[in-house]
Amino acid sequence: MAFISSGYNPDKPMENRITDIGPRSFEEFYPPVIKKNKGAWDYHEIVKPGVLKHVGLSGDVVYTVRVGAARLMSVTHIREICEIAEKHCGGHLRFTTRNNVEFMVETEAALDGLLADLASRKFAGGSFKFPVGGTGACVSNIVHTQGYVHCHTPATDASGPVKAVMDDMFEYFQSMTLPAMVRISLACCLNMCGAVHCSDIGIVGIHRKPPIVEHDRLDNICEVPLAISACPTGAIKPAKVEIDGKKVNSVAVNASRCMYCGNCYTMCPAMPLASGEGDGIVLMVGGKVSNRISMPKFSKVVVAFIPNEPPRWPTLTKMVKQIVEVYAKEARKYERLGEWAERIGWEKFFELCDLEFTHHCIDDFRDPAYYTWRQSTQFKFTKHIEA
């Protein structure tokens, strides 16, 4: 009777239904030229870095301007993006999966006006609010996770290192001078909400110390069985601990089995993992999703630990730039970073990029090791590298 009195008709469950219907269809938000020519495009080309031109079979033309944007935005910034879209694009815009904003116009005159407007908008420090680039053989916008701003288990920040790295990579974002595209991603912990496992360069935050167990609060705020079952390596077991002469329920951590993933802290806030000394960054190289030229690849560890150095992360930015510049100089046209490293041999990659090879870089999982490094115990460098 409650349903009937509220107007719900069980015989016609969708009648007058206005809630729980999901998002509106994305087709409602297409610019008219996109909607008209959907599935009927003749060709496209990159007019210049950050500007794409699509031509339909109908003869219609649309210019897309790709603008690098932040992963975390203020309301003020979003309003300015909407203002630009209203002014130049009939209110239409779109976001890409790599945190770019794309504005679409239909004429060269409108394109020139849009580009001039974007170039005129700068932050107080002088940097571009809406830098145009990220197309073709470039360093594309960095995908990253939430870092210290929102996540509860980060081993490094996200926005900070990304800003520092991208400042050094900016010339490659606004040009197409590399052998092929370079995708850089950042994940602030091993749970990898980002795409670091399949990016040309992956920046991964890692913990190196087991969780601290706050015995005095654990049983009051956590369910012990959940904390135990959350551990993927079985490193946590129940324990009784004496505090002020009273035995309380708690857990014990087998440090030798801990992989520092932070799953326990997710289930139990009394098992914090963050550590100023133990937390830092791993650098990975060679992954890709594309199956062009070669199969998709997972990235591999090339630098086992870089300390957190806010606010500018100088060691991290130096190493990333070093790798990109050597790749730009040595690789063949269309060759992705991992393809180049495999062609010259990973030994040579470490030498050219001036990176130290340590035992932490060895892929010791049985199956992947057959396909990543040499298929023997001999790892042959072409020149002597001192320990």
Side-chain angles (χ1 to χ4, degrees):
M1 293 300 295
F3 287 121
I4 295 173
S5 63
S6 65
Y8 175 73
N9 182 353
D11 296 326
K12 298 180 179 179
M14 299 303 293
E15 186 177 50
N16 299 322
R17 187 175 181 183
I18 59 173
T19 61
D20 299 325
I21 56 176
R24 290 165 61 182
S25 171
F26 57 86
E27 293 192 354
E28 294 181 39
F29 305 98
Y30 283 148
V33 66
I34 300 292
K35 191 168 188 177
K36 176 185 174 183
N37 292 278
K38 184 178 180 181
W41 297 102
D42 189 16
Y43 69 93
H44 76 276
E45 60 183 332
I46 302 175
V47 178
K48 56 184 175 180
V51 180
L52 301 157
K53 177 183 179 181
H54 286 77
V55 179
L57 293 171
S58 63
D60 291 341
V61 176
V62 60
Y63 295 93
T64 300
V65 178
R66 182 171 295 173
V67 169
R71 163 74 166 76
L72 304 171
M73 294 185 181
S74 67
V75 173
T76 304
H77 193 63
I78 293 173
R79 283 176 175 161
E80 190 167 0
I81 291 171
C82 294
E83 174 200 326
I84 294 169
E86 289 284 354
K87 182 178 178 181
H88 297 278
C89 315
H92 296 282
L93 63 91
R94 65 183 174 208
F95 287 87
T96 74
T97 55
R98 297 195 73 85
N99 307 326
N100 297 294
V101 179
E102 291 188 343
F103 300 103
M104 290 150 286
V105 294
E106 297 178 42
T107 66
E108 288 192 26
L111 172 65
D112 293 339
L114 173 60
L115 290 173
D117 191 1
L118 294 172
S120 70
R121 297 174 186 256
K122 296 184 178 181
F123 290 106
S127 60
F128 291 107
K129 286 185 178 181
F130 305 102
V132 176
T135 56
C138 68
V139 171
S140 57
N141 205 15
I142 299 180
V143 172
H144 68 85
T145 53
Q146 310 206 53
Y148 295 150
V149 176
H150 285 301
C151 186
H152 64 291
T153 59
T156 189
D157 191 24
S159 301
V162 164
K163 167 63 175 169
V165 168
M166 209 57 187
D167 280 352
D168 274 13
M169 291 290 102
F170 191 60
E171 63 180 296
Y172 295 113
F173 175 78
Q174 288 204 309
S175 64
M176 298 189 294
T177 57
L178 295 173
M181 69 178 68
V182 173
R183 306 283 199 196
I184 304 177
S185 301
L186 182 146
C188 51
C189 79
L190 287 177
N191 290 312
M192 288 203 279
C193 306
V196 294
H197 60 292
C198 55
S199 295
D200 295 280
I201 298 177
I203 303 167
V204 191
I206 61 162
H207 300 285
R208 298 188 301 168
K209 293 187 177 183
I212 299 167
V213 182
E214 298 176 344
H215 298 292
D216 56 332
R217 24 188 326 252
L218 189 140
D219 194 35
N220 294 322
I221 63 173
C222 305
E223 294 186 31
V224 173
L226 286 180
I228 294 170
S229 62
C231 181
T233 60
I236 304 174
K237 64 181 180 180
K240 290 280 188 180
V241 179
E242 188 171 316
I243 300 176
D244 298 329
K246 180 182 177 182
K247 284 194 173 183
V248 297
N249 295 322
S250 188
V251 299
V253 177
N254 182 346
S256 64
R257 298 189 68 172
C258 179
M259 61 182 281
Y260 323 118
C261 67
N263 282 1
C264 54
Y265 180 63
T266 301
M267 301 307 299
C268 180
M271 297 182 70
L273 195 66
S275 165
E277 294 179 359
D279 293 355
I281 293 169
V282 160
L283 206 55
M284 304 178 76
V285 161
K288 71 185 186 86
V289 175
S290 166
N291 61 4
R292 186 176 182 274
I293 299 178
S294 64
M295 292 173 61
K297 304 174 187 296
F298 285 122
S299 46
K300 306 162 184 56
V301 174
V302 297
V303 181
F305 185 77
I306 301 170
N308 284 321
E309 300 170 310
R312 297 300 302 176
W313 275 267
T315 304
L316 170 66
T317 55
K318 178 184 175 183
M319 287 185 172
V320 172
K321 188 170 185 179
Q322 194 168 283
I323 291 169
V324 171
E325 288 182 341
V326 174
Y327 162 72
K329 180 181 177 183
E330 300 287 338
R332 295 171 180 168
K333 191 171 177 63
Y334 304 124
E335 201 169 40
R336 295 288 288 268
L337 208 160
E339 293 166 343
W340 163 65
E342 289 185 354
R343 176 174 61 82
I344 66 173
W346 283 98
E347 302 94 332
K348 195 68 177 176
F349 166 84
F350 278 90
E351 292 175 14
L352 290 173
C353 294
D354 195 24
L355 301 175
E356 180 187 4
F357 184 88
T358 71
H359 71 280
H360 299 291
C361 298
I362 298 174
D363 188 344
D364 58 355
F365 287 97
R366 177 183 171 88
D367 186 67
Y370 284 148
Y371 305 105
T372 54
W373 304 107
R374 301 294 186 194
Q375 296 180 25
S376 76
T377 57
Q378 309 305 315
F379 203 80
K380 302 179 180 68
F381 283 96
T382 54
K383 67 178 182 180
H384 176 68
I385 294 181
E386 293 182 359

